[in-house]
Each structure stands twice: as C-alpha cells, then as structure tokens.
Amino acid sequence: MPPALSAEQIRDANTRYHDVAAGHYDSKWGIDFGEAGRAQVIAKVRKALGAEPGHWPSSLEIGSGTGYFTLNLLAAGVIDEATCSDISPGMLSTLSANATRLGLDVATEAADAERLPFADQSFDLVLGHAVLHHIPDLPRAFTEFERVLRPGGTLLFAGEPSRYGDRLANVPKRVAGAIAPLWRRAMGASAAVPDPGERPVAELERVVDVHAFSPSELSRAAGSAGLVDVRVSGEELVANWFGWTNRTLEATADPEEIPWAWRQFAYRGYLALQELDRRLLERRLPPAVFYNLMIAARKPG
Ligand SMILES: C[S@@+](CC[C@H](N)C(=O)[O-])C[C@H]1O[C@@H](n2cnc3c(N)ncnc32)[C@H](O)[C@@H]1O
C-alpha cells in the first residue's frame, strides 16, 4: 500500500511524474494526431454526449497532457479557440511542440484543476481525458469547472477508471506478468534492464492515481456543483484487457527488441476489440463494468 499523502504531496507528485513522462508520453500511449486520433476522439465525444458533437466557440481542457483531445478536436473543426491547462509544465511544452508541428493555434496555462486562473463564465466547453482520477479534491474541481463555464455550456470528461473495471484489469496484468518470460522467448526479446535513474519516477507512479469511480460518484460530483442533464456512460472492456495484457508484457522487454509485427498486432487488435466493445457490449452492459467512464453535463442557462 502506498503511504497516505496530503493533497499537496499528491499534486506535487503529479507535477514531477508528468514532467518526466512528457518526453515519451505520446509513443508510450500510442497517441495519434492524424485521422485515427481524430476519429477516436470524436467517437468518445459522441459517446459521452449520446449525440453528435456540437460546435463550440471556445474550450478549456483540464489536464490536457500533450494535447490528445484538444488538438484532435481543433483539427476536426469541432472547437474554434482552445485553451489547454495542466499542472505539469513539461506536458504543456510537449503540447505546444505538437501544436506547432500540426499548425494549430492553442493557448496554454500551467494550472491546478482546483484553482483555475480564469474568469467566471469564460468557456463554452470544459473538457478533459484521464485527469479526474488524479485530482485530490474533486468537489472543489467541479465547482471550478462550473464557475468558468458559460451558462448553457458543456462539461465533458472521458477516460476515467471505473472502480469495478480497475479491479478487473488486475487479472490481465497478473496473467501477463506470469507469462512474460515465455512471451519474451517467443518474441526473441531480452528482459528490460531497469534504469536506476527511473526508480524515483516509478515510485511516483504508485501515488499519482487517487481515485477510481463508480458512475454515481461521478454524477454526484457534477450535480453537487450545480450542473444538470448529467449523463455517465462506460466504454472499453475486452479492448482494455487486451491492452493491459500487451502493455504489461511489453514493459518487461527491451523496447528495441520487440518485433514490429507484434506492435502492429497489438495496435490493430486493440482497435478491433474497441469496435467489438462499441457495437456489442457498450449498448448492453451497465457503465460500471467497463474500464473507462465518461461524463457529460450542462450548466443551466
Ligand atoms: C493520464 S494524463 C492524461 C493526459 C491527457 N489528457 C491525455 O489523455 O493524454 C493526466 C494529466 O493530468 C495532469 N494532472 C494531474 N493532476 C492534475 C491537477 N491537479 N490539475 C491539473 N492537471 C493535473 C497531469 O499532469 C497529466 O498531464
């Protein structure tokens, strides 16, 4: 069990961990800023809203990382003016480099989600992906999201671990850990050599995630902040088991020695299983069983 940390220590761990992660974040997580990335992000927005994405004149992303959501939404023409905020300046500098490479214009601001340096009613859309589970005081953050939204504006967060899904994901991680030596032999790859310099970062990784949610916790957080039309949905079940198995296996091998054919299999297999989840399971099973939760809501007015 990681030691109990104060909210300030959790924020500090998040800043330091993500500053270091920023350099290799896109390749580690297969983040794409082309057609595939745009299609993924638009599909998530559609799923969260339960409707076609609207068009938003201005947006603020919380914990934007290297720009996965905002840059893809900008490129798709779904938002006009984008601001990206993150507690990690390192992530924001990778985001700015990505935006320059893609020829996109975006404002960045290093900020903690619980204390947003923006005026009331500044944005039509407040969004985020895989960030709420890092925030120590969630009610306070939702109060901030509501404050900076314009009346009638939309709140949308995706990629948040569900409590049940998170527990289920331990099964493929454990199985992959057990079969890793056999898998490496089959791949002709040698074991990864731990870099002693990475140890402090690996230790931070154990403390940066502070929540896994039930759907009702997420909707309560939005409702208590005064947001309405709250909708929580779930995504990814078998795709996630597949993804966690592969990531756990790959983490045990020298990355240079993992064959290209395996990487293709892992990437294409993940996309195919995402499609299976979408077509078959997401319509039939309750949100709580999926690995990821998404929430959409509206500010009255
Ligand atoms: C898992 S990453 C997700 C990044 C990006 N949204 C994506 O989907 O690729 C979580 C991000 O949240 C940021 N973060 C963590 N705690 C935060 C906080 N209290 N306020 C704002 N951002 C935070 C981290 O620095 C990191 O960039």
Side-chain angles (χ1 to χ4, degrees):
M1 281 286 284
L5 297 182
S6 69
E8 206 39 59
Q9 286 169 317
I10 292 165
R11 285 189 279 270
D12 176 59
N14 263 290
T15 309
R16 289 190 291 134
Y17 174 76
H18 288 101
D19 274 350
V20 174
H24 54 267
Y25 190 82
D26 290 346
S27 61
K28 176 175 176 185
W29 295 101
I31 291 190
D32 186 83
F33 294 105
E35 209 176 305
R38 283 199 296 279
Q40 273 172 2
V41 170
I42 293 286
K44 285 178 194 296
V45 172
R46 187 183 294 125
K47 231 182 266 179
L49 295 172
E52 281 305 308
H55 174 261
W56 292 281
S58 66
S59 67
L60 169 67
E61 182 164 358
I62 310 294
S64 56
T66 60
Y68 174 47
F69 251 56
T70 289
L71 297 183
N72 277 312
L73 289 176
L74 267 177
V78 169
I79 45 185
D80 292 338
E81 272 185 24
T83 303
C84 284
S85 68
D86 199 292
I87 204 164
S88 151
M91 283 292 206
L92 290 177
S93 71
T94 302
L95 184 152
S96 296
N98 285 339
T100 305
R101 186 168 43 77
L102 296 164
L104 296 168
D105 202 16
V106 56
T108 59
E109 185 81 45
D112 171 13
E114 294 172 32
R115 296 173 197 82
L116 295 175
F118 305 105
D120 298 358
Q121 307 188 1
S122 299
F123 303 98
D124 302 295
L125 171 68
V126 170
L127 76 156
H129 181 252
V131 56
L132 297 179
H133 64 284
H134 293 303
I135 299 174
D137 188 342
L138 211 60
R140 184 164 165 173
F142 268 84
T143 303
E144 280 294 82
F145 305 157
E146 190 274 343
R147 180 182 70 74
V148 300
L149 262 180
R150 292 206 174 102
T154 304
L155 171 128
L156 192 156
F157 283 85
E160 297 302 335
S162 80
R163 184 163 305 143
Y164 191 57
D166 202 39
R167 250 181 253 152
L168 282 181
N170 282 327
V171 177
K173 287 185 206 172
R174 250 186 252 135
V175 171
I179 63 167
L182 275 178
W183 172 80
R184 286 197 304 270
R185 202 173 315 147
M187 294 295 120
S190 35
V193 183
D195 174 355
E198 293 256 314
R199 199 170 306 139
V201 179
E203 274 162 22
L204 287 176
E205 190 170 15
R206 295 192 304 132
V207 297
V208 293
D209 296 342
V210 287
H211 309 281
F213 301 101
S214 69
S216 57
E217 276 168 335
L218 273 186
S219 47
R220 249 198 325 273
S224 305
L227 298 164
V228 295
D229 297 341
V230 181
R231 182 176 194 278
V232 176
S233 34
E235 70 165 3
E236 295 197 3
L237 187 60
V238 286
N240 228 274
W241 291 342
F242 184 76
W244 274 119
T245 306
N246 296 340
R247 270 198 295 278
T248 309
L249 290 172
E250 288 166 12
T252 71
D254 179 340
E256 302 292 318
E257 295 179 15
I258 299 174
W260 180 84
W262 166 269
R263 293 208 185 269
Q264 284 300 306
F265 159 77
Y267 179 63
R268 290 186 193 287
Y270 180 69
L271 294 185
L273 292 175
Q274 255 187 343
E275 200 54 24
L276 176 81
D277 282 335
R278 190 176 69 79
R279 284 174 190 243
L280 211 65
L281 304 181
E282 287 166 14
R283 295 176 191 180
R284 292 180 171 82
L285 299 176
V289 305
F290 291 91
Y291 182 74
N292 286 320
L293 293 177
M294 31 186 39
I295 177 167
R298 190 174 57 80
K299 178 163 172 169

